[in-house]
Amino acid sequence: MQLDKQDVVDLLRKEGKNEHVQTALQELPDKIDHEQHAQMLEKFGIDPGHLARKFAERELGTTTTP
């Protein structure tokens, strides 16, 4: 799943991971693939699988239990 860097940065801020925001802005590409960039996402404390589900649900307008 392709995500915008800004979506990931916004998620970091929402989750209170402000210490990772500047580094993410500098290191992440503009378009992020949750599988291809999994190690980078994990470095910022983000579970790539959870991230993909979260954004897929947002796009579909549905939610599931965590």
Side-chain angles (χ1 to χ4, degrees), residues 5-66:
K5 174 174 33 180
Q6 190 60 50
D7 290 330
V8 174
V9 170
D10 290 345
L11 178 65
L12 288 169
R13 286 185 175 126
K14 181 179 176 184
E15 292 184 351
K17 297 178 180 175
N18 296 319
E19 69 276 11
H20 295 300
V21 170
Q22 191 61 39
T23 307
L25 285 168
Q26 293 172 350
E27 294 183 8
L28 290 173
D30 290 336
K31 293 290 184 185
I32 299 161
D33 180 278
H34 79 284
E35 292 177 336
Q36 181 181 354
H37 300 106
Q39 286 184 329
M40 291 179 86
L41 293 169
E42 290 170 350
K43 173 180 159 180
F44 300 119
I46 296 174
D47 178 318
H50 179 74
L51 178 68
R53 281 190 304 276
K54 183 176 193 135
F55 282 93
E57 290 170 357
R58 184 180 76 176
E59 288 182 14
L60 296 173
T62 61
T63 56
T64 60
T65 54

